[in-house]
């Protein structure tokens, strides 16, 4: 059996744009280009993967690797009663999965189209439809109905993307991350109950555990699965894999497959996770630092995080332009923040401030000092693009490049403050997080990416595989 990843350029695609982020405008899909007539057996395209800059070990041509049949216990049908009722597997079958990522800064829908060529094979990913809305569900903590409306809107895209005859066997699943983890339990539950009701009124297949808050270890493992699948590293005889660094709004994750047993043996027990695939058990080093996502870290740097009820207080920082003043809303609370009028601003002072949010809180696995390749995405990628460190195609940078750029941004606040007043703080935070948090060397090379082979680098694809196959993550 063959298990390969694909680059398939769909006829239409929604991209996250500034307009759709701020206005929650849904794309007009009524006039999409007609589908090109396809043969019954879809022509699957196997190109060499997109060239991702410089580091040789970071990229491989798609290997024609033969895989053993995956365990039949966790096939698609075993998980999916609606599918079992369908006609037998005689021809390749197309099926869909809808995964919602309820993050702290936005809610995103990923609609994956898979091709199941054989009942015992893993599905091939044909394409992804992606759309995002802002703000995240946690901003609706006092008005769950309105939060539910954002899901209702995104489901409209799913209805236009998934053919009608597939609706009732297409699962819809929502997993929430840091934004909801940081809310009081009853507020988070009210939001999740609302989402479940919205799902129930949709024509899709609503699995029993369709709505949940995902724990940080799963978030890290599933993003690792996504990136290693998309980069062609996830094979039964996997020797070489890539690590991942994910920087969300509320939390940040590091995950890699250690080369040395010692890394797992010496890690705190909660910093490891294992999962099953291809009859292999992968033991990963993974940890999610809650409150160390970039937006939470801004507020922590300002001393504002958790300071609810201090509505009158203005939180200041030398990481912000001196004349800047604004209200920041995060996880349902609003804080007044500003630069230090007539005071000092700049990289050095800023570095001391952000250090307080990191120092002593991080476990440093020795292996990150080695030559492993790490993919960094989400806000790592966003900030690198905003500051011109890489183009929006992504690319390779060294840790020291973040530091150099942070100095430039902080010392030219007027120029970069116009892009985002938080850019100096964010870049300084990323520099400190990489060096003093995780313990990377300045010369470590990171691959920055938003998409790999046209698919979003997020935990959502890994979570969809987990839904269909049950990786048994522990
Ligand atoms: O499929 C995805 C999922 C996330 N993101 C980006 O990843 C960042 C992190 O998301 P969020 O702040 O919601 O993370 P969380 O709070 O869940 O840690 C945001 O810039 C998103 O736009 C993305 O580009 N594609």
């Amino acid at each position: 059996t063959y298990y390969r990843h694909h680059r398939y350029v769909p006829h239409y695609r929604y991209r996250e744009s500034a307009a759709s982020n701020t206005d929650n405008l849904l794309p007009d899909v009524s006039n999409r280009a007609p589908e090109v007539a396809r043969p019954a057996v879809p022509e699957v395209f196997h190109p060499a993967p997109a060239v991702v800059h410089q580091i040789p070990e970071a990229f491989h041509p798609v290997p024609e690797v033969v895989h053993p049949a995956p365990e039949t216990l966790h096939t698609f049908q075993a998980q999916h009663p609606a599918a079992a009722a369908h006609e037998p597997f005689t021809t390749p079958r197309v099926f869909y999965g809808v995964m919602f990522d309820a993050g702290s800064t936005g809610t995103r829908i990923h609609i994956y189209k898979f091709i199941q060529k054989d009942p015992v094979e893993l599905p091939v990913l044909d394409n992804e439809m992606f759309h995002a809305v802002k703000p995240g569900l946690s901003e609706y903590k006092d008005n769950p109905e309105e939060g539910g409306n954002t899901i209702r809107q995104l489901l409209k895209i799913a209805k236009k993307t998934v053919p009608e005859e597939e609706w009732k066997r297409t699962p819809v699943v929502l997993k929430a991350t840091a934004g909801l983890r940081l809310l009081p339990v009853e507020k988070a539950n009210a939001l999740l109950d609302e989402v479940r009701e919205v799902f129930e009124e949709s024509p899709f297949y609503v699995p029993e555990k369709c709505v949940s808050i995902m724990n940080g270890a799963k978030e890290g493992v599933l993003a690792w699965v996504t990136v290693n699948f998309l980069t062609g590293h996830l094979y039964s005889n996997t020797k070489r894999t890539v690590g991942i660094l994910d920087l969300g709004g509320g939390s940040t994750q590091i995950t890699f497959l250690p080369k040395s047993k010692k890394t797992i043996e010496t890690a705190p027990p909660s910093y490891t996770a294992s999962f099953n695939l291809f009859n292999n058990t992968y033991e990963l080093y993974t940890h999610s630092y809650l409150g160390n996502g970039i937006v939470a870290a801004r507020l922590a740097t300002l001393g504002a995080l958790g300071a609810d009820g201090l509505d009158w207080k203005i939180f200041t920082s030398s990481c912000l332009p001196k004349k800047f003043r604004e209200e920041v809303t995060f996880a349902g609370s609003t804080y007044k923040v500003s630069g230090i009028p007539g005071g000092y601003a700049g990289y050095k002072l800023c570095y001391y401030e952000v250090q307080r949010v990191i120092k002593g809180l991080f476990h440093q696995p020795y292996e990150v000092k080695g030559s492993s390749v790490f993919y960094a995405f989400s806000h790592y990628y966003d900030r690198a693009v905003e500051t011109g460190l890489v183009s929006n195609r992504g690319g390779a940078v060294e840790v020291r490049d973040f530091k150099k750029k942070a100095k430039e941004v902080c010392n030219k606040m007027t120029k970069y403050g116009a892009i985002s007043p938080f850019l100096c703080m964010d870049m300084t935070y990323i520099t400190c997080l990489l060096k003093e948090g995780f313990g990377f060397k300045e010369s470590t090379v990171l691959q920055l990416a938003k998409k790999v082979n046209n698919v979003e680098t997020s935990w959502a694809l890994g979570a969809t595989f987990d839904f269909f196959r049950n990786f048994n993550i522990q």
Side-chain angles (χ1 to χ4, degrees), residues 72 74-84 89 93 116 119-120 468:
T72 42
H74 302 302
T75 58
F76 173 54
Q77 296 97 314
Q79 285 277 310
H80 198 301
F89 264 99
R93 174 181 292 167
Q116 186 81 48
V120 288
F468 287 123

Side-chain angles (χ1 to χ4, degrees), residues 36-44 94:
V36 179
R38 295 233 196 127
V41 179
E43 267 303 316
V44 180
V94 167

Side-chain angles (χ1 to χ4, degrees), residues 27-324:
D28 174 15
V29 287
S30 51
N31 296 322
R32 71 185 196 216
E35 286 262 8
V36 179
R38 295 233 196 127
V41 179
E43 267 303 316
V44 180
F45 181 43
H46 298 272
V51 180
V52 179
H53 323 254
Q54 292 136 40
I55 357 176
E57 66 273 39
F59 225 79
H60 303 277
V62 186
E64 295 274 320
V65 179
V66 177
H67 290 277
E71 323 94 281
T72 42
L73 258 181
H74 302 302
T75 58
F76 173 54
Q77 296 97 314
Q79 285 277 310
H80 198 301
H86 234 73
E87 80 271 14
F89 264 99
T90 46
T91 51
R93 174 181 292 167
V94 167
F95 68 97
Y96 294 79
V98 178
M99 183 62 64
F100 285 86
D101 161 2
S104 66
T105 58
T107 303
R108 301 138 205 137
I109 186 170
H110 302 254
I111 305 160
Y112 299 106
K113 180 180 178 185
F114 298 102
I115 300 169
Q116 186 81 48
K117 294 199 161 186
D118 182 282
V120 288
E121 271 190 15
L122 272 171
V124 162
L125 173 61
D126 187 59
N127 73 52
E128 175 200 37
M129 170 71 72
F130 173 73
H131 190 74
V133 291
K134 284 187 173 181
L137 267 190
S138 45
E139 300 310 309
Y140 301 95
K141 66 167 191 184
D142 297 320
N143 190 354
E145 290 81 25
E146 219 177 296
N149 278 335
T150 63
I151 305 298
R152 214 170 261 120
Q153 283 196 352
L154 290 169
L155 276 170
K156 285 186 191 161
I157 298 179
K159 282 172 72 176
K160 290 191 170 161
T161 306
V162 178
E164 195 170 338
E165 62 275 16
E166 295 287 332
W167 288 352
K168 71 173 190 308
R169 66 181 203 123
T170 298
V172 282
V173 176
L174 176 139
K175 293 189 185 293
T177 53
L180 261 68
R181 281 181 212 139
L182 289 164
L183 281 188
V185 179
E186 61 289 353
K187 300 258 180 202
N189 282 343
L191 284 161
L192 296 179
D193 289 345
E194 184 63 31
V195 172
R196 198 170 295 113
E197 278 177 31
V198 173
F199 278 2
E200 296 286 358
E201 74 191 36
S202 84
F204 294 103
Y205 166 51
V206 183
E208 205 180 321
K209 289 180 188 150
C210 57
V211 176
S212 60
I213 298 178
M214 184 169 46
N215 73 38
K218 278 199 176 172
E219 189 176 358
V221 169
L222 295 172
W224 184 92
V225 168
T226 298
V227 173
N228 282 283
F229 171 78
L230 294 174
T231 51
H233 290 94
L234 209 55
Y235 294 97
S236 57
N237 55 355
T238 294
K239 292 252 161 46
R240 213 154 37 164
T241 56
V242 293
I244 61 113
L245 295 170
D246 187 357
L247 181 56
S251 64
T252 187
Q253 289 75 241
I254 178 170
T255 308
F256 63 93
L257 182 65
K259 289 183 181 129
S260 143
K261 263 203 155 40
K262 213 168 156 204
T263 303
I264 293 288
E265 284 163 10
T266 56
S270 65
Y271 284 58
T272 61
S274 63
F275 77 98
N276 299 324
L277 183 64
F278 304 125
N279 291 329
N280 281 340
T281 298
Y282 290 86
E283 264 212 289
L284 301 181
Y285 176 97
T286 186
H287 195 69
S288 176
Y289 293 87
L290 187 61
N292 281 95
I294 207 154
V295 184
R298 285 176 185 173
L299 292 165
T301 301
L302 283 150
L305 199 65
D308 295 37
L310 299 177
D311 301 352
W312 48 271
K313 197 170 163 130
I314 301 173
F315 298 96
T316 62
S317 164
S318 55
C319 302
L320 297 172
K322 289 179 196 173
K323 290 183 183 158
F324 169 72

Side-chain angles (χ1 to χ4, degrees), residues 318-319 344-354:
S318 55
C319 302
Y344 293 101
Y347 178 77
K348 235 184 173 157
L349 284 172
C350 181
Y351 196 89
Y352 286 128
E353 285 186 25
V354 301

